[in-house]
Amino acid sequence: LIFKSAKVLPVMLMGFIILKKTYSFWEYLSAFFLVLGLTIFTLANVETSPSFNPFGIVLISIALISDAFLGNLQEKHLKIQKVSRSELVFYMNLFSFTYCFVGMLATGYFRSAVYYVWGMPGFRTLLLRFFLVGILDFVSISIVMSLVKEFGTVIAVMVTSCRKVVTIVLSFWLFPKVLVEKHVIGGLIVLVAIFWNAVSYTHLRAHETGRN
């Protein structure tokens, strides 16, 4: 989770490599505060049950780099190649489904998964839940694609990163737990990062408007 909190950094790096983008001082500053706040917030949750595995660090690093590459590639398709949001979401999920389906067939997991789900009580209810999750997932991905197209990958990653804080806050409401000092400090720093990012974006839009 701590590494995932720093996702915005590889996204900015890939944006420079793939899209030749440059970032302002305000954007770097807001990214720094966002990573710092999310890290402190995450540490508050994991300090009671620490667990460390070096191989996990390798895997999450590969995942972050791949995710950063994918996000900027999506922005390139949306903004430069003028691909529609629906088309991008459709083909992205089509290829993901194909890879997973072929992999499950090759390993034999598909048959065991079908037997397991079929034998569960309330099979029809489970299928309905799968259907609803699919709809919500499509809505979620479409919103993220809209953010990428309108504001860029970095802003989209910052918004989705703040989801962690919202999720944890909701967990305190649904499942009462101890609120420690790090939760408050991390949350305040995240708010500062959001404020700085809003100021940066406002200044950039005002500058572009002045040019036009």
Side-chain angles (χ1 to χ4, degrees), residues 109-126:
Y109 280 110
F110 180 75
R111 178 181 295 181
S112 59
V114 170
Y115 287 153
Y116 176 78
V117 174
W118 186 267
M120 291 183 66
F123 174 69
R124 293 181 180 179
T125 304
L126 185 63

Side-chain angles (χ1 to χ4, degrees), residues 27-41:
E27 288 175 304
Y28 283 117
L29 194 62
S30 61
F32 168 77
F33 276 110
L34 181 66
V35 171
L36 178 63
L38 288 172
T39 300
I40 294 175
F41 212 103

Side-chain angles (χ1 to χ4, degrees), residues 67-140:
D67 208 10
F69 177 80
L70 175 62
N72 283 283
L73 196 61
Q74 290 169 344
E75 183 177 353
K76 181 178 180 181
H77 285 308
L78 289 169
K79 289 187 173 182
I80 299 177
Q81 299 179 352
K82 305 299 181 182
V83 175
S84 69
R85 183 192 63 193
S86 300
E87 186 179 5
L88 182 60
V89 171
F90 173 77
Y91 282 106
M92 185 173 63
N93 285 279
L94 177 63
F95 283 109
S96 298
F97 169 78
T98 303
Y99 296 148
C100 291
F101 184 70
V102 172
M104 291 182 69
L105 286 178
T107 56
Y109 280 110
F110 180 75
R111 178 181 295 181
S112 59
V114 170
Y115 287 153
Y116 176 78
V117 174
W118 186 267
M120 291 183 66
F123 174 69
R124 293 181 180 179
T125 304
L126 185 63
L127 288 181
L128 178 60
R129 290 179 180 177
F130 284 158
F131 179 73
L132 292 176
V133 168
I135 293 177
L136 293 175
D137 189 49
F138 174 78
V139 172
S140 174

Side-chain angles (χ1 to χ4, degrees), residues 2-210:
I2 295 174
F3 265 69
K4 289 182 70 176
S5 300
K7 178 181 175 180
V8 66
L9 300 181
V11 166
M12 295 177 78
L13 176 61
M14 286 296 177
F16 173 76
I17 295 174
I18 298 175
L19 301 174
K20 310 301 180 184
K21 296 178 68 174
T22 56
Y23 303 97
S24 67
F25 169 77
W26 290 94
E27 288 175 304
Y28 283 117
L29 194 62
S30 61
F32 168 77
F33 276 110
L34 181 66
V35 171
L36 178 63
L38 288 172
T39 300
I40 294 175
F41 212 103
T42 304
L43 283 172
N45 279 337
V46 302
E47 65 182 2
T48 55
S49 56
S51 179
F52 178 78
N53 189 327
F55 185 61
I57 300 297
V58 176
L59 291 178
I60 194 64
S61 298
I62 295 174
L64 285 178
I65 294 173
S66 301
D67 208 10
F69 177 80
L70 175 62
N72 283 283
L73 196 61
Q74 290 169 344
E75 183 177 353
K76 181 178 180 181
H77 285 308
L78 289 169
K79 289 187 173 182
I80 299 177
Q81 299 179 352
K82 305 299 181 182
V83 175
S84 69
R85 183 192 63 193
S86 300
E87 186 179 5
L88 182 60
V89 171
F90 173 77
Y91 282 106
M92 185 173 63
N93 285 279
L94 177 63
F95 283 109
S96 298
F97 169 78
T98 303
Y99 296 148
C100 291
F101 184 70
V102 172
M104 291 182 69
L105 286 178
T107 56
Y109 280 110
F110 180 75
R111 178 181 295 181
S112 59
V114 170
Y115 287 153
Y116 176 78
V117 174
W118 186 267
M120 291 183 66
F123 174 69
R124 293 181 180 179
T125 304
L126 185 63
L127 288 181
L128 178 60
R129 290 179 180 177
F130 284 158
F131 179 73
L132 292 176
V133 168
I135 293 177
L136 293 175
D137 189 49
F138 174 78
V139 172
S140 174
I141 294 175
S142 297
I143 293 173
V144 173
M145 291 298 102
S146 297
L147 284 172
V148 172
K149 186 174 183 177
E150 183 67 24
F151 303 103
T153 309
V154 173
I155 302 295
V157 169
M158 287 186 173
V159 172
T160 54
S161 295
C162 292
R163 174 185 56 85
K164 298 173 187 175
V165 177
V166 176
T167 301
I168 295 175
V169 170
L170 287 176
S171 72
F172 278 101
W173 177 49
L174 297 173
F175 310 101
K177 59 184 74 174
V178 179
L179 181 68
V180 298
E181 187 178 87
K182 286 182 180 178
H183 284 125
V184 179
I185 296 175
L188 290 175
I189 293 176
V190 168
L191 291 177
V192 171
I194 296 172
F195 170 76
W196 243 302
N197 188 69
V199 171
S200 171
Y201 185 75
T202 302
H203 285 183
L204 179 62
R205 279 297 176 94
H207 182 68
E208 291 177 350
T209 303

